[in-house]
Every structure is written in C-alpha cells, then in structure tokens.
Amino acid sequence: MEYATDSTRISPAERDGARPIFLVGMMGVGKTTIGRQLAAALGREFVDLDHAIEARCGVRIATIFDIEGEAGFRRRETAALDEYTRRPGLVVATGGGAVLAEENRRMLSERGCVVYLRAGADELYRRVARDRNRPLLRTDDPRQRIADLLAQREPLYESVAEITLDTGEQPVAQVLRSLLPLLPARPSVQAHTSPVQVHTTQ
C-alpha cells in the first residue's frame, strides 16, 4: 500500500495540455467539493457533470428521473460525459452511476486520469441521509440501498481507477494533500500503468 506525501506538485508548465482528471465514486463521497478545490489548486476549470446536465435541461436530476426514468437520465449522462472527457485540462466530478455503462468506463479510462474517491457505506449514509435530491434513495431503507449500490459499483470504480483514495472523515484539505502528489506530472503518463491506492491517516 502506498501512502501519499506532500512533496510533489504539478508546475504550471507541466499542467499545460495535461490529461483531464475524472473523479468517480459514490454519492456523498465529496466529488464536487474535492473536485472544485482540486481544480483551484491546479489552476484548472472544474465541471460537475450532474450540474452540467441540470443546466442543460433546466431541471434537477430528480425531475429528469421522474420524467424520463433512470434510462433516460443515463443517456443524457453518457452524452455529457463524451463531451467533457474530450476537453483537456479539466477536473470533472462524475455522477455516482456514471461507471455503470461500459461505454462510459471506456471513455473515462482512455481519456484521462481517473481518481476513485472511496468511503464506506455508513459514512456515505451519514453524509446523504437528509438529502432529498437523491432519486435512488427514495426507498424505505436508504442505508441498505447505499450498501447495495456500493457493492454493485465498487468493482466498476476500481476497474477504471488510476488512483484510489480513501476519504473517510478526512477534511478536504487533508484529502488534497494526499491526492496532489499522486497525480501524473506529465500529460504523456498513461493510465493504468501503476494503479495507486492510498489510505489517508488521521
């Protein structure tokens, strides 16, 4: 197991033309918050894929689910992912289910550096228990639903991840300190040559 150190940062010259960075992981793991601050630290543009879809459609994700069903939303998700994964230099926070489609996994793996932000089911539930804008949690037992989704999706997250980082209860600043030295320093670095897993320490 490899542990991160705060010793290597990406210079502006090395950032130019760099592969985009894609954050994957379950709902509530912190992809948007971490992604926004990661982009700021790297001087990159940040895109939250779900927010981009909402802006394009003019309604919330939950409304898209209500009108078009999950299948309709996933089609829109794939189209948006295809667009944004083609743009160099972005930091993109994907939706929790973006890895479900094989086409999406291929785009993520081939077009950028994929970071899997990982947390356990109990921690995820604690973070999203009061969020009413999660259509997949409209169930009598949302805690079990999260556990089931995590069991289904974790192998898919791991299959595309170049870097896996446990977020746990760590503050965002600590997560960034762990993540930054692990990012490819040059755009020529190819994905999946040496996957890294990191457990942050208390």
Side-chain angles (χ1 to χ4, degrees), residues 173-195:
Q174 176 61 44
V175 174
L176 287 178
R177 282 194 295 270
S178 299
L179 177 57
L180 281 167
L182 302 174
L183 296 173
R186 294 174 179 82
S188 60
V189 173
Q190 296 299 313
H192 299 295
T193 55
S194 181

Side-chain angles (χ1 to χ4, degrees), residues 50-132:
D50 282 352
H51 293 173
I53 295 170
E54 289 179 336
R56 186 167 298 178
C57 296
V59 295
R60 302 296 298 271
I61 297 297
T63 303
I64 299 174
F65 267 73
D66 289 341
I67 297 173
E68 301 182 354
E70 183 173 358
F73 169 74
R74 296 300 174 198
R75 287 192 294 272
R76 293 181 180 276
E77 182 178 56
T78 295
L81 192 67
D82 185 35
E83 174 184 343
Y84 287 107
T85 55
R86 294 178 184 275
R87 299 186 185 181
L90 293 181
V91 174
V92 180
T94 65
V99 296
L100 294 174
E102 182 178 359
E103 179 182 2
N104 294 356
R105 296 196 299 274
R106 178 186 56 77
M107 289 189 287
L108 291 166
S109 297
E110 293 179 356
R111 298 179 185 177
C113 173
V114 183
V115 179
Y116 170 29
L117 299 177
R118 182 168 61 188
D122 289 342
E123 175 64 17
L124 293 169
Y125 176 74
R126 184 185 67 80
R127 297 180 187 183
V128 302
R130 298 182 181 181
D131 189 342
R132 303 304 179 190

